[in-house]
């Protein structure tokens, strides 16, 4: 039985206890969310940090069953934004006092791609005087490549595990050498060893997924001692294999509610990590991200991808802000965040307070 008043001081969370938190509804759920919001402010204060998101290419070599930009989807326009436009987006983030940037794309491992990334990272550092924090989210790579990118200036890496349950993992990915659960786990360990602030996450409301799976996902994050988390509702995309399970999914509203429950529960389980208010929340509820900020999230990722390309980075349906320009997003977000009683940490990196540098990693210049 969950006693809301106990949550603040609770030290150990069992799978059963978390599963019960996740399945709460009605009045008790509201109380838990409110408590999580208060706990969050007590732990980390009211500041929310911006990460300007550039989805610079939707070319992808993978075939995840849930994703709209998977390799086998022939029904989309593939794009690759040129370096100059990426650097301009970085300049925009810097000038608008976003503390950090996230570079994301479909997964590629060829040397043309990996070398280009290293060059871009150095370029971004240079034009922003090392003042902009850089997160990258470019999938599974070798240790050498991760190291090269770290040395070129990236200091955070996002690699969602998608589901920490191996059996469920293979229900949402092909079972082949390109989609290997163990490889993904190894990548997460490597990223941590190399000194990245490491982020992971899962989708919520996948076909076949239970509250127990989700509770285990949170325990997985705790055990991996992760620094940052981005997780949001699964939203079916008509051009993907998982679409056929549409009828078996939780209703969208429930997926949304459980996503907020996940954020709130994780805030209690890992009080000092960074948790992102995932964009997918906003695909269900126009105020989805702001609601997440009130129950434990402290990071928001405004999309600063040049607007012409946004319509082609549809990982899922009903993706928000595909029409807006970056300026509109900044203004709109500022108002929304202030309305939710939070403040924006302008020009601050907003590093995860949980992060502890491995002993062998030298400090980065320009850290704020
Ligand atoms: N619904 C929700 N999230 C999705 N992602 C990919 N496809 C979907 C979908 N259909 C998420 C994955 C991936 C991130 C970039 O987007 O978790 O890691
Ligand atoms: Fe993009 Fe509001 S957040 S327009």
């Amino acid at each position: 039985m969950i006693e809301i008043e106990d949550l603040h001081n609770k030290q150990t969370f069992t799978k059963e206890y978390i599963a019960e938190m996740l399945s709460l509804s009605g009045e008790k759920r509201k109380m838990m969310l409110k408590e999580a919001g208060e706990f969050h402010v007590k732990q980390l204060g009211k500041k929310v940090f911006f990460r300007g998101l550039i989805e610079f290419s939707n070319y992808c070599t993978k075939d995840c069953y849930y994703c709209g930009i998977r390799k086998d989807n022939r029904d989309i326009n593939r794009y690759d934004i040129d370096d100059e436009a990426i650097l301009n987006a970085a300049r925009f983030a810097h000038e608008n006092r976003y503390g950090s940037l996230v570079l994301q794309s479909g997964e590629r491992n060829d040397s043309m791609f990996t070398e280009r990334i290293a060059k871009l990272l150095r370029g971004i550092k240079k034009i922003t005087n090392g003042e902009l924090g850089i997160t990258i989210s470019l999938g599974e790579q070798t240790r050498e490549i991760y190291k090269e990118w770290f040395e070129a200036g990236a200091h955070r890496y996002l690699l969602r595990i998608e589901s920490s349950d191996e059996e469920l993992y293979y229900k949402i990915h092909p079972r082949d050498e390109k989609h290997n659960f163990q490889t993904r786990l190894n990548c997460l360990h490597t990223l941590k060893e190399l000194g990245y602030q490491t982020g992971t996450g899962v989708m919520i409301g996948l076909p076949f997924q239970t509250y127990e799976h989700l509770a285990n996902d949170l325990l997985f994050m705790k055990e991996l001692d992760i620094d940052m988390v981005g997780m949001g509702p699964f939203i079916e995309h008509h051009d993907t294999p998982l679409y056929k399970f549409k009828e078996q999914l939780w209703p969208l509203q429930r997926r949304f509610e459980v996503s907020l429950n996940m954020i709130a529960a994780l805030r209690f389980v890992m009080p000092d990590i960074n948790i992102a208010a995932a964009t997918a929340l906003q695909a269900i509820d126009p105020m989805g991200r702001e609601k997440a900020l009130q129950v434990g999230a402290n990071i928001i990722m405004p999309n600063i991808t040049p607007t012409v390309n946004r319509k082609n980075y549809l990982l899922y349906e009903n993706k928000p802000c595909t029409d807006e320009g970056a300026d509109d997003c900044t203004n709109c977000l500022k108002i929304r965040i202030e309305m939710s009683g939070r403040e924006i940490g302008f020009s601050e990196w907003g590093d995860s307070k949980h992060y502890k540098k491995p002993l062998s990693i030298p400090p980065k210049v320009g850290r704020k």
Side-chain angles (χ1 to χ4, degrees):
M1 238 307 255
I2 292 170
E3 300 294 347
I4 302 290
E5 313 75 60
D6 294 347
L7 285 170
H8 274 246
N9 299 317
K10 199 168 168 59
Q11 296 301 321
T12 36
F13 289 84
T14 61
K15 178 181 101 176
E16 291 71 26
Y17 192 91
I18 298 175
E20 198 184 327
M21 287 171 92
L22 301 181
S23 61
L24 286 181
S25 56
E27 226 16 69
K28 189 122 189 217
R29 170 176 180 267
K30 275 202 194 131
M31 281 159 66
M32 179 189 67
L33 296 184
K34 184 162 173 283
E35 201 74 5
E38 287 168 11
F39 181 72
H40 173 194
V41 172
K42 213 157 96 190
Q43 294 293 325
L44 295 177
K46 291 190 172 174
K47 270 197 192 157
V48 169
F49 300 101
F50 276 7
R51 316 272 186 249
L53 173 63
I54 311 176
E55 294 159 332
F56 66 89
S57 170
N58 63 0
Y59 283 95
C60 192
T61 57
K62 293 196 111 168
D63 242 337
C64 309
Y65 292 152
Y66 43 83
C67 185
I69 66 165
R70 62 199 298 272
K71 174 167 73 83
D72 275 2
N73 185 6
R74 307 267 177 256
D75 210 19
I76 57 169
N77 296 321
R78 300 284 170 177
Y79 72 87
D80 197 359
I81 297 178
D82 64 47
D83 291 1
E84 200 41 48
I86 298 176
L87 293 174
N88 279 338
R91 234 177 245 121
F92 171 90
H94 189 227
E95 282 163 8
N96 284 276
R97 299 185 296 139
Y98 288 20
S100 306
L101 193 75
V102 181
L103 278 184
Q104 189 177 75
S105 73
E107 190 170 311
R108 279 176 56 182
N109 313 100
D110 55 287
S111 58
M112 220 163 86
F113 178 80
T114 60
E115 283 163 21
R116 174 184 177 213
I117 298 298
K119 196 169 135 240
L120 270 170
L121 291 169
R122 283 191 291 270
I124 294 169
K125 280 283 153 191
K126 188 152 167 244
I127 61 168
T128 64
N129 308 320
E131 286 169 2
L132 202 61
I134 310 180
T135 307
I136 48 179
S137 177
L138 306 169
E140 295 167 17
Q141 305 288 343
T142 61
R143 174 183 284 268
E144 289 65 39
I145 296 300
Y146 283 150
K147 187 157 181 281
E148 187 183 341
W149 290 347
F150 188 79
E151 285 163 359
H155 64 117
R156 307 188 189 109
Y157 206 104
L158 293 175
L159 182 66
R160 287 189 177 179
I161 189 76
E162 314 296 358
S163 168
S164 64
D165 182 274
E166 189 164 355
E167 218 179 297
L168 182 53
Y169 189 89
Y170 285 119
K171 287 190 173 140
I172 62 170
H173 297 97
R175 193 185 275 271
D176 59 25
E177 70 278 14
K178 225 38 225 121
H179 303 80
N180 185 291
F181 182 71
Q182 197 54 48
T183 306
R184 207 161 185 90
L185 277 182
N186 294 346
C187 284
L188 283 167
H189 286 289
T190 307
L191 289 164
K192 284 196 63 178
E193 279 162 28
L194 289 171
Y196 279 98
Q197 283 174 53
T198 305
T200 194
V202 294
M203 283 175 288
I204 298 154
L206 286 163
F208 318 112
Q209 195 178 40
T210 63
Y211 290 119
E212 282 68 32
H213 284 130
L214 291 167
N216 274 334
D217 288 336
L218 298 190
L219 290 172
F220 166 84
M221 293 167 194
K222 168 100 177 152
E223 194 171 309
L224 194 63
D225 198 27
I226 215 75
D227 305 302
M228 344 183 269
V229 170
M231 55 187 175
F234 166 66
I235 299 171
E236 66 276 18
H237 186 296
H238 62 278
D239 274 329
T240 60
L242 288 194
Y243 197 70
K244 60 175 176 286
F245 300 111
K246 193 176 187 306
E247 303 305 324
Q248 300 173 31
L249 300 171
W250 286 337
L252 276 176
Q253 193 50 35
R254 186 64 192 148
R255 276 178 256 168
F256 179 81
E257 287 168 6
V258 179
S259 298
L260 292 192
N261 294 357
M262 283 281 279
I263 292 175
L266 181 62
R267 180 52 75 206
F268 286 117
V269 175
M270 300 189 78
D272 60 353
I273 62 167
N274 277 350
I275 304 180
T279 313
L281 289 165
Q282 204 187 334
I284 302 183
D285 179 329
M287 289 300 279
R289 291 187 299 183
E290 290 74 11
K291 289 182 182 169
L293 295 178
Q294 287 174 322
V295 303
N298 65 332
I299 301 290
I300 205 149
M301 293 163 54
N303 197 334
I304 58 169
T305 310
T307 316
V308 280
N309 300 111
R310 290 192 193 185
K311 285 199 164 44
N312 295 315
Y313 203 85
L314 291 189
L315 304 171
Y316 44 85
E317 291 172 10
N318 201 21
K319 194 163 175 252
C321 295
T322 49
D323 284 326
E324 276 77 15
D327 279 321
D328 301 329
C329 272
T330 315
N331 293 333
C332 164
L333 269 175
K334 186 167 179 296
I335 296 166
R336 286 158 170 250
I337 288 168
E338 286 165 0
M339 267 169 34
S340 345
R342 296 290 186 261
E343 304 156 10
I344 303 169
F346 278 116
S347 297
E348 291 182 55
W349 279 20
D351 280 336
S352 169
K353 299 241 183 314
H354 189 77
Y355 175 74
K356 285 177 203 63
K357 200 163 14 109
L359 292 173
S360 55
I361 306 294
K364 292 244 165 196
V365 288
R367 182 182 292 270
K368 291 219 165 175

